[in-house]
Amino acid sequence: MISQTRETEMSHPLLETEDLTVRFGGHVAVDAVTCAFDAGELTAIVGPNGAGKTTYFNLISGQIAASAGRVRLEGQEILGLSVAERCRRGIGRAFQLTNLFPDLSVLENVRLVIQAHYHNGLGLFSMADHHRDLIDRAEAVLERVRLADLAGQTVSELSHGNQRKLEVALLIALDPKVYMFDEPTAGMSVDEAPVVLDLIAELKADTDRTILLVEHKMDVIRTLADRIIVLHNGALAADGAPAEVMASDVVQEAYMGRELEDV
């Protein structure tokens, strides 16, 4: 029989925000947003420009301090923690990790993230040849994101599309509980974007994790999302299954405009 304490622990959402708010002077950028995100769920966060989507991301990952509210990971309050500590506990956001070492190779970037994450006591710039296990793990991650053939290339020389794939690689290397993607295909070519979307779909198959996705492309959202939340003027305007939210007249007209109508 599961103990009452254990049953309570299991009932927690993986991630939740409660009345999360931030004010910049007299402007309320995120207005008392309460949302819970379960493991095995991909939630798309949508809304017009200036709706508060990226600011909401920044509050969860710690880039900006909240004016009020709470953020919990597995039932534990994390609002007062630094970006680095939230990352260590399982909040993974792509842009936090880009260009860690732009003058090093693709392989070394992934190897260093793995090394730092597992706290194995090795110096960050220890000779890679001495750490076969780290290299093997890094090579496996690069194979997964289709960058194995570019392992020796300097990061600063990568195309934009391959840099976005490397962001996903670095997130995978961190093994987070929460994956946060802010317009992951922005600026990518028609040929490059499907690779990143396929990677996100693969990550979604892990039912122990949750994925938050800020995205403007409705075809991407329709393909990947289990749920859509809509922000408008910093407040939560809609929350539900994709078909339900996308079919809502008020959401189409007030929040998504012609972009949704076109789909």
Side-chain angles (χ1 to χ4, degrees):
M1 179 180 295
I2 299 175
S3 70
Q4 185 174 355
T5 300
R6 177 60 177 156
E7 189 173 6
T8 300
E9 290 174 353
M10 291 174 65
S11 67
H12 287 304
L14 183 55
L15 175 71
E16 56 188 323
T17 67
E18 180 183 338
D19 294 329
L20 193 59
T21 302
V22 66
R23 302 180 184 88
F24 301 113
H27 174 62
V28 181
V30 172
D31 189 2
V33 175
T34 295
C35 248
F37 305 97
D38 293 325
E41 180 179 67
L42 189 150
T43 301
I45 303 173
V46 303
N49 290 334
K53 304 181 297 295
T54 296
T55 304
Y56 184 54
F57 257 36
N58 288 339
L59 290 169
I60 292 171
S61 57
Q63 268 68 35
I64 59 177
S67 303
R70 297 178 179 276
V71 179
R72 299 186 187 94
L73 181 66
E74 296 183 307
Q76 300 297 311
E77 178 64 66
I78 63 171
L79 192 63
L81 301 181
S82 67
V83 172
E85 181 60 19
R86 294 187 203 198
C87 184
R88 189 185 71 79
R89 294 199 182 192
I91 300 291
R93 186 168 180 188
F95 81 80
Q96 291 174 214
L97 305 169
T98 52
N99 296 326
L100 280 177
F101 300 103
D103 296 326
L104 296 183
S105 71
V106 169
L107 178 64
E108 279 295 274
N109 272 261
V110 179
R111 199 263 303 180
L112 292 175
V113 168
I114 293 171
Q115 184 170 307
H117 178 64
Y118 286 99
H119 303 287
N120 58 13
L122 301 174
L124 281 181
F125 291 97
S126 299
M127 290 297 291
D129 288 343
H130 296 165
H131 311 299
R132 189 67 248 173
D133 180 59
L134 294 175
I135 296 173
D136 289 344
R137 292 187 192 185
E139 288 176 341
V141 171
L142 291 179
E143 188 71 36
R144 184 173 177 182
V145 300
R146 291 68 152 171
L147 285 176
D149 58 337
L150 298 176
Q153 187 165 336
T154 303
V155 168
S156 60
E157 298 174 349
L158 291 178
S159 69
H160 176 74
N162 283 329
Q163 287 182 3
R164 300 312 294 262
K165 284 192 280 185
L166 181 58
E167 291 180 26
V168 180
L170 297 177
L171 276 178
I172 291 172
L174 278 178
D175 194 28
K177 298 168 184 174
V178 179
Y179 286 92
M180 301 177 69
F181 294 100
D182 195 345
E183 297 190 62
T185 63
M188 297 184 72
S189 70
V190 174
D191 293 332
E192 292 170 327
V195 176
V196 170
L197 297 178
D198 287 346
L199 289 170
I200 294 174
E202 290 174 12
L203 295 174
K204 179 183 170 182
D206 186 343
T207 57
D208 292 329
R209 317 302 162 101
T210 193
I211 301 174
L212 305 185
L213 173 69
V214 170
E215 183 56 74
H216 290 287
K217 300 172 183 174
M218 287 299 104
D219 54 339
V220 171
I221 292 170
R222 186 170 54 183
T223 300
L224 291 175
D226 301 304
R227 170 189 179 195
I228 296 176
I229 66 173
V230 182
L231 296 181
H232 181 59
N233 292 332
L236 184 64
D239 181 355
E244 174 188 346
V245 173
M246 293 171 73
S248 166
D249 289 340
V250 66
V251 169
Q252 290 189 45
E253 294 172 8
Y255 308 125
M256 304 311 300
R258 292 192 55 82
E259 184 176 32
L260 184 54
E261 293 173 11
D262 292 343
V263 173

